[in-house]
Amino acid sequence: MTEIDKIAWIHLVDGRVLSTRSRGRDVYYLPGGKRDPGETDMDTLIREIREELSVTIDPATARHLGTFRAQAHGHAAGVTVRMTCYSARHEGALHPDNEIEEIVWLTHADRPRVSPVDRLILDHLHTEGLLT
């Protein structure tokens, strides 16, 4: 079985979570991405969020919110994604960059619009009372 190792930033404001849509994609994904060789979780989180959203994550404020596994969207059956999620403060104004075409604020009602692993994360955030 193949597993894709990804790190995600959970940024919640007023009961909504920040999500992104890449060019050519039809679903939303939590911001973040795949770990490069030798990177720690924080290295990946900081690099990916800077590349995707043009903001700087403050690693001193990072908090692990959970690790989730599901079938990887758009991949063959049996390919899973492991998403390790962190909240953290950031500096700068959010702006879609590189492959990111759109940023949106989602609620639990938007669950059908996200990838399978993000559905699990939205469910968790909703159960914890963090997502409306």
Side-chain angles (χ1 to χ4, degrees):
M1 177 163 63
T2 303
E3 185 168 75
I4 300 167
D5 180 23
K6 295 181 89 174
I7 306 297
W9 182 37
I10 306 297
H11 184 49
L12 292 153
V13 175
D14 297 329
R16 295 176 180 264
V17 67
L18 179 69
S19 195
T20 62
R21 185 179 56 77
S22 298
R23 283 181 188 80
R25 298 289 187 147
D26 60 350
V27 298
Y28 292 93
Y29 297 89
L30 293 169
K34 296 177 193 169
R35 181 191 317 268
D36 282 347
E39 280 186 332
T40 65
D41 285 5
M42 280 305 104
D43 294 338
T44 304
L45 184 68
I46 291 165
R47 176 183 53 76
E48 284 285 344
I49 299 311
R50 184 180 342 100
E51 289 174 1
E52 292 184 355
L53 299 171
S54 301
V55 297
T56 303
I57 292 294
D58 177 357
T61 65
R63 194 174 112 231
H64 181 252
L65 293 182
T67 301
F68 304 85
R69 285 180 172 83
Q71 168 66 38
H73 180 259
H75 290 267
V79 177
T80 59
V81 62
R82 181 182 73 217
M83 189 83 77
T84 305
C85 300
Y86 291 90
S87 64
R89 291 193 189 121
H90 72 283
E91 293 181 13
L94 296 166
H95 172 74
D97 206 353
N98 291 307
E99 77 272 12
I100 303 303
E101 186 167 43
E102 179 184 12
I103 58 174
V104 294
W105 295 92
L106 303 178
T107 68
H108 192 251
D110 294 303
R111 192 178 180 278
R113 302 169 67 195
V114 302
S115 70
V117 73
D118 286 10
R119 289 178 193 156
L120 296 176
I121 297 164
L122 265 57
D123 289 348
H124 172 76
L125 294 171
H126 185 68
T127 299
E128 294 292 314
L130 300 171
L131 186 68
T132 56

PDB file of all heavy atoms in Angstrom, residues 56-81:
ATOM      1  N   THR A  56       3.701  33.887   6.415  1.00  0.00           N
ATOM      2  CA  THR A  56       4.719  33.200   7.196  1.00  0.00           C
ATOM      3  C   THR A  56       4.090  32.616   8.454  1.00  0.00           C
ATOM      4  O   THR A  56       3.481  33.344   9.251  1.00  0.00           O
ATOM      5  CB  THR A  56       5.836  34.185   7.586  1.00  0.00           C
ATOM      6  OG1 THR A  56       6.369  34.750   6.388  1.00  0.00           O
ATOM      7  CG2 THR A  56       6.938  33.480   8.349  1.00  0.00           C
ATOM      8  N   ILE A  57       4.238  31.324   8.630  1.00  0.00           N
ATOM      9  CA  ILE A  57       3.751  30.623   9.824  1.00  0.00           C
ATOM     10  C   ILE A  57       4.711  30.892  10.979  1.00  0.00           C
ATOM     11  O   ILE A  57       5.931  30.860  10.813  1.00  0.00           O
ATOM     12  CB  ILE A  57       3.673  29.098   9.549  1.00  0.00           C
ATOM     13  CG1 ILE A  57       2.582  28.788   8.521  1.00  0.00           C
ATOM     14  CG2 ILE A  57       3.465  28.296  10.840  1.00  0.00           C
ATOM     15  CD1 ILE A  57       1.168  29.079   8.970  1.00  0.00           C
ATOM     16  N   ASP A  58       4.162  31.141  12.170  1.00  0.00           N
ATOM     17  CA  ASP A  58       4.967  31.297  13.379  1.00  0.00           C
ATOM     18  C   ASP A  58       5.070  29.929  14.057  1.00  0.00           C
ATOM     19  O   ASP A  58       4.111  29.482  14.692  1.00  0.00           O
ATOM     20  CB  ASP A  58       4.303  32.321  14.304  1.00  0.00           C
ATOM     21  CG  ASP A  58       5.052  32.494  15.618  1.00  0.00           C
ATOM     22  OD1 ASP A  58       6.068  31.793  15.853  1.00  0.00           O
ATOM     23  OD2 ASP A  58       4.619  33.333  16.421  1.00  0.00           O
ATOM     24  N   PRO A  59       6.217  29.240  13.917  1.00  0.00           N
ATOM     25  CA  PRO A  59       6.326  27.881  14.453  1.00  0.00           C
ATOM     26  C   PRO A  59       6.163  27.807  15.969  1.00  0.00           C
ATOM     27  O   PRO A  59       5.750  26.766  16.488  1.00  0.00           O
ATOM     28  CB  PRO A  59       7.719  27.422  14.016  1.00  0.00           C
ATOM     29  CG  PRO A  59       8.475  28.662  13.703  1.00  0.00           C
ATOM     30  CD  PRO A  59       7.458  29.690  13.290  1.00  0.00           C
ATOM     31  N   ALA A  60       6.444  28.903  16.686  1.00  0.00           N
ATOM     32  CA  ALA A  60       6.305  28.904  18.145  1.00  0.00           C
ATOM     33  C   ALA A  60       4.846  28.753  18.568  1.00  0.00           C
ATOM     34  O   ALA A  60       4.575  28.349  19.706  1.00  0.00           O
ATOM     35  CB  ALA A  60       6.904  30.177  18.732  1.00  0.00           C
ATOM     36  N   THR A  61       3.917  29.057  17.668  1.00  0.00           N
ATOM     37  CA  THR A  61       2.491  28.978  18.004  1.00  0.00           C
ATOM     38  C   THR A  61       1.827  27.710  17.455  1.00  0.00           C
ATOM     39  O   THR A  61       0.633  27.511  17.658  1.00  0.00           O
ATOM     40  CB  THR A  61       1.735  30.202  17.450  1.00  0.00           C
ATOM     41  OG1 THR A  61       1.774  30.170  16.015  1.00  0.00           O
ATOM     42  CG2 THR A  61       2.340  31.504  17.961  1.00  0.00           C
ATOM     43  N   ALA A  62       2.587  26.868  16.780  1.00  0.00           N
ATOM     44  CA  ALA A  62       2.017  25.673  16.137  1.00  0.00           C
ATOM     45  C   ALA A  62       1.519  24.679  17.182  1.00  0.00           C
ATOM     46  O   ALA A  62       2.171  24.435  18.196  1.00  0.00           O
ATOM     47  CB  ALA A  62       3.045  25.030  15.228  1.00  0.00           C
ATOM     48  N   ARG A  63       0.347  24.120  16.894  1.00  0.00           N
ATOM     49  CA  ARG A  63      -0.260  23.119  17.765  1.00  0.00           C
ATOM     50  C   ARG A  63      -0.790  21.976  16.910  1.00  0.00           C
ATOM     51  O   ARG A  63      -1.548  22.217  15.959  1.00  0.00           O
ATOM     52  CB  ARG A  63      -1.393  23.766  18.560  1.00  0.00           C
ATOM     53  CG  ARG A  63      -1.859  22.902  19.716  1.00  0.00           C
ATOM     54  CD  ARG A  63      -2.885  23.643  20.556  1.00  0.00           C
ATOM     55  NE  ARG A  63      -4.155  22.950  20.363  1.00  0.00           N
ATOM     56  CZ  ARG A  63      -5.297  23.519  20.025  1.00  0.00           C
ATOM     57  NH1 ARG A  63      -5.380  24.807  19.848  1.00  0.00           N
ATOM     58  NH2 ARG A  63      -6.377  22.799  19.864  1.00  0.00           N
ATOM     59  N   HIS A  64      -0.393  20.752  17.237  1.00  0.00           N
ATOM     60  CA  HIS A  64      -0.862  19.574  16.498  1.00  0.00           C
ATOM     61  C   HIS A  64      -2.336  19.352  16.795  1.00  0.00           C
ATOM     62  O   HIS A  64      -2.743  19.302  17.958  1.00  0.00           O
ATOM     63  CB  HIS A  64      -0.032  18.347  16.915  1.00  0.00           C
ATOM     64  CG  HIS A  64      -0.421  17.110  16.206  1.00  0.00           C
ATOM     65  ND1 HIS A  64      -1.086  16.087  16.826  1.00  0.00           N
ATOM     66  CD2 HIS A  64      -0.245  16.726  14.925  1.00  0.00           C
ATOM     67  CE1 HIS A  64      -1.303  15.117  15.947  1.00  0.00           C
ATOM     68  NE2 HIS A  64      -0.802  15.486  14.789  1.00  0.00           N
ATOM     69  N   LEU A  65      -3.150  19.239  15.737  1.00  0.00           N
ATOM     70  CA  LEU A  65      -4.594  19.056  15.908  1.00  0.00           C
ATOM     71  C   LEU A  65      -5.062  17.654  15.555  1.00  0.00           C
ATOM     72  O   LEU A  65      -6.235  17.349  15.700  1.00  0.00           O
ATOM     73  CB  LEU A  65      -5.357  20.071  15.052  1.00  0.00           C
ATOM     74  CG  LEU A  65      -5.214  21.530  15.450  1.00  0.00           C
ATOM     75  CD1 LEU A  65      -6.056  22.403  14.541  1.00  0.00           C
ATOM     76  CD2 LEU A  65      -5.620  21.745  16.904  1.00  0.00           C
ATOM     77  N   GLY A  66      -4.153  16.833  15.065  1.00  0.00           N
ATOM     78  CA  GLY A  66      -4.534  15.466  14.741  1.00  0.00           C
ATOM     79  C   GLY A  66      -3.896  15.004  13.449  1.00  0.00           C
ATOM     80  O   GLY A  66      -3.384  15.807  12.661  1.00  0.00           O
ATOM     81  N   THR A  67      -3.917  13.686  13.263  1.00  0.00           N
ATOM     82  CA  THR A  67      -3.424  13.069  12.033  1.00  0.00           C
ATOM     83  C   THR A  67      -4.543  12.188  11.499  1.00  0.00           C
ATOM     84  O   THR A  67      -5.142  11.415  12.260  1.00  0.00           O
ATOM     85  CB  THR A  67      -2.147  12.255  12.301  1.00  0.00           C
ATOM     86  OG1 THR A  67      -1.151  13.140  12.847  1.00  0.00           O
ATOM     87  CG2 THR A  67      -1.609  11.622  11.030  1.00  0.00           C
ATOM     88  N   PHE A  68      -4.826  12.318  10.215  1.00  0.00           N
ATOM     89  CA  PHE A  68      -5.986  11.671   9.602  1.00  0.00           C
ATOM     90  C   PHE A  68      -5.540  10.905   8.362  1.00  0.00           C
ATOM     91  O   PHE A  68      -4.637  11.337   7.654  1.00  0.00           O
ATOM     92  CB  PHE A  68      -7.028  12.730   9.221  1.00  0.00           C
ATOM     93  CG  PHE A  68      -7.441  13.576  10.398  1.00  0.00           C
ATOM     94  CD1 PHE A  68      -6.698  14.693  10.768  1.00  0.00           C
ATOM     95  CD2 PHE A  68      -8.553  13.239  11.140  1.00  0.00           C
ATOM     96  CE1 PHE A  68      -7.070  15.460  11.867  1.00  0.00           C
ATOM     97  CE2 PHE A  68      -8.930  14.004  12.239  1.00  0.00           C
ATOM     98  CZ  PHE A  68      -8.180  15.117  12.598  1.00  0.00           C
ATOM     99  N   ARG A  69      -6.202   9.767   8.096  1.00  0.00           N
ATOM    100  CA  ARG A  69      -5.882   8.956   6.916  1.00  0.00           C
ATOM    101  C   ARG A  69      -7.154   8.655   6.134  1.00  0.00           C
ATOM    102  O   ARG A  69      -8.196   8.371   6.720  1.00  0.00           O
ATOM    103  CB  ARG A  69      -5.253   7.631   7.337  1.00  0.00           C
ATOM    104  CG  ARG A  69      -3.837   7.742   7.791  1.00  0.00           C
ATOM    105  CD  ARG A  69      -3.291   6.362   8.195  1.00  0.00           C
ATOM    106  NE  ARG A  69      -1.874   6.422   8.454  1.00  0.00           N
ATOM    107  CZ  ARG A  69      -1.333   6.800   9.598  1.00  0.00           C
ATOM    108  NH1 ARG A  69      -2.106   7.159  10.599  1.00  0.00           N
ATOM    109  NH2 ARG A  69      -0.013   6.807   9.746  1.00  0.00           N
ATOM    110  N   ALA A  70      -7.020   8.692   4.787  1.00  0.00           N
ATOM    111  CA  ALA A  70      -8.143   8.350   3.910  1.00  0.00           C
ATOM    112  C   ALA A  70      -7.592   8.017   2.528  1.00  0.00           C
ATOM    113  O   ALA A  70      -6.421   8.278   2.224  1.00  0.00           O
ATOM    114  CB  ALA A  70      -9.127   9.508   3.818  1.00  0.00           C
ATOM    115  N   GLN A  71      -8.469   7.475   1.684  1.00  0.00           N
ATOM    116  CA  GLN A  71      -8.133   7.266   0.278  1.00  0.00           C
ATOM    117  C   GLN A  71      -7.703   8.605  -0.325  1.00  0.00           C
ATOM    118  O   GLN A  71      -8.339   9.625  -0.090  1.00  0.00           O
ATOM    119  CB  GLN A  71      -9.357   6.717  -0.469  1.00  0.00           C
ATOM    120  CG  GLN A  71      -9.260   6.714  -1.983  1.00  0.00           C
ATOM    121  CD  GLN A  71      -8.197   5.769  -2.522  1.00  0.00           C
ATOM    122  OE1 GLN A  71      -7.994   4.680  -1.993  1.00  0.00           O
ATOM    123  NE2 GLN A  71      -7.506   6.178  -3.563  1.00  0.00           N
ATOM    124  N   ALA A  72      -6.612   8.593  -1.074  1.00  0.00           N
ATOM    125  CA  ALA A  72      -6.113   9.822  -1.697  1.00  0.00           C
ATOM    126  C   ALA A  72      -6.989  10.190  -2.888  1.00  0.00           C
ATOM    127  O   ALA A  72      -7.216   9.366  -3.780  1.00  0.00           O
ATOM    128  CB  ALA A  72      -4.660   9.648  -2.125  1.00  0.00           C
ATOM    129  N   HIS A  73      -7.469  11.419  -2.899  1.00  0.00           N
ATOM    130  CA  HIS A  73      -8.329  11.903  -3.971  1.00  0.00           C
ATOM    131  C   HIS A  73      -7.577  11.891  -5.300  1.00  0.00           C
ATOM    132  O   HIS A  73      -6.445  12.369  -5.398  1.00  0.00           O
ATOM    133  CB  HIS A  73      -8.812  13.323  -3.659  1.00  0.00           C
ATOM    134  CG  HIS A  73      -9.704  13.891  -4.700  1.00  0.00           C
ATOM    135  ND1 HIS A  73      -9.259  14.787  -5.639  1.00  0.00           N
ATOM    136  CD2 HIS A  73     -11.008  13.680  -4.966  1.00  0.00           C
ATOM    137  CE1 HIS A  73     -10.265  15.103  -6.433  1.00  0.00           C
ATOM    138  NE2 HIS A  73     -11.330  14.452  -6.035  1.00  0.00           N
ATOM    139  N   GLY A  74      -8.199  11.304  -6.332  1.00  0.00           N
ATOM    140  CA  GLY A  74      -7.602  11.296  -7.663  1.00  0.00           C
ATOM    141  C   GLY A  74      -6.523  10.250  -7.862  1.00  0.00           C
ATOM    142  O   GLY A  74      -5.844  10.254  -8.889  1.00  0.00           O
ATOM    143  N   HIS A  75      -6.335   9.346  -6.892  1.00  0.00           N
ATOM    144  CA  HIS A  75      -5.333   8.287  -6.995  1.00  0.00           C
ATOM    145  C   HIS A  75      -6.021   6.924  -7.056  1.00  0.00           C
ATOM    146  O   HIS A  75      -7.186   6.788  -6.707  1.00  0.00           O
ATOM    147  CB  HIS A  75      -4.378   8.327  -5.798  1.00  0.00           C
ATOM    148  CG  HIS A  75      -3.463   9.512  -5.811  1.00  0.00           C
ATOM    149  ND1 HIS A  75      -2.216   9.479  -6.352  1.00  0.00           N
ATOM    150  CD2 HIS A  75      -3.643  10.780  -5.354  1.00  0.00           C
ATOM    151  CE1 HIS A  75      -1.639  10.664  -6.239  1.00  0.00           C
ATOM    152  NE2 HIS A  75      -2.503  11.474  -5.629  1.00  0.00           N
ATOM    153  N   ALA A  76      -5.268   5.925  -7.466  1.00  0.00           N
ATOM    154  CA  ALA A  76      -5.792   4.558  -7.554  1.00  0.00           C
ATOM    155  C   ALA A  76      -6.227   4.056  -6.178  1.00  0.00           C
ATOM    156  O   ALA A  76      -5.702   4.504  -5.150  1.00  0.00           O
ATOM    157  CB  ALA A  76      -4.719   3.631  -8.128  1.00  0.00           C
ATOM    158  N   ALA A  77      -7.157   3.120  -6.175  1.00  0.00           N
ATOM    159  CA  ALA A  77      -7.614   2.505  -4.930  1.00  0.00           C
ATOM    160  C   ALA A  77      -6.415   1.951  -4.176  1.00  0.00           C
ATOM    161  O   ALA A  77      -5.497   1.377  -4.762  1.00  0.00           O
ATOM    162  CB  ALA A  77      -8.618   1.393  -5.229  1.00  0.00           C
ATOM    163  N   GLY A  78      -6.419   2.146  -2.865  1.00  0.00           N
ATOM    164  CA  GLY A  78      -5.321   1.654  -2.040  1.00  0.00           C
ATOM    165  C   GLY A  78      -4.230   2.683  -1.782  1.00  0.00           C
ATOM    166  O   GLY A  78      -3.381   2.479  -0.920  1.00  0.00           O
ATOM    167  N   VAL A  79      -4.249   3.779  -2.524  1.00  0.00           N
ATOM    168  CA  VAL A  79      -3.297   4.863  -2.253  1.00  0.00           C
ATOM    169  C   VAL A  79      -3.956   5.775  -1.225  1.00  0.00           C
ATOM    170  O   VAL A  79      -5.027   6.326  -1.472  1.00  0.00           O
ATOM    171  CB  VAL A  79      -2.936   5.659  -3.528  1.00  0.00           C
ATOM    172  CG1 VAL A  79      -2.004   6.818  -3.184  1.00  0.00           C
ATOM    173  CG2 VAL A  79      -2.309   4.752  -4.574  1.00  0.00           C
ATOM    174  N   THR A  80      -3.325   5.885  -0.064  1.00  0.00           N
ATOM    175  CA  THR A  80      -3.899   6.691   1.004  1.00  0.00           C
ATOM    176  C   THR A  80      -3.067   7.950   1.221  1.00  0.00           C
ATOM    177  O   THR A  80      -1.917   8.039   0.786  1.00  0.00           O
ATOM    178  CB  THR A  80      -3.970   5.903   2.330  1.00  0.00           C
ATOM    179  OG1 THR A  80      -2.652   5.492   2.698  1.00  0.00           O
ATOM    180  CG2 THR A  80      -4.867   4.679   2.196  1.00  0.00           C
ATOM    181  N   VAL A  81      -3.686   8.889   1.901  1.00  0.00           N
ATOM    182  CA  VAL A  81      -2.979  10.095   2.312  1.00  0.00           C
ATOM    183  C   VAL A  81      -3.035  10.153   3.835  1.00  0.00           C
ATOM    184  O   VAL A  81      -4.059   9.848   4.442  1.00  0.00           O
ATOM    185  CB  VAL A  81      -3.561  11.373   1.666  1.00  0.00           C
ATOM    186  CG1 VAL A  81      -4.998  11.605   2.054  1.00  0.00           C
ATOM    187  CG2 VAL A  81      -2.716  12.584   1.995  1.00  0.00           C
TER     188      VAL A  81
END
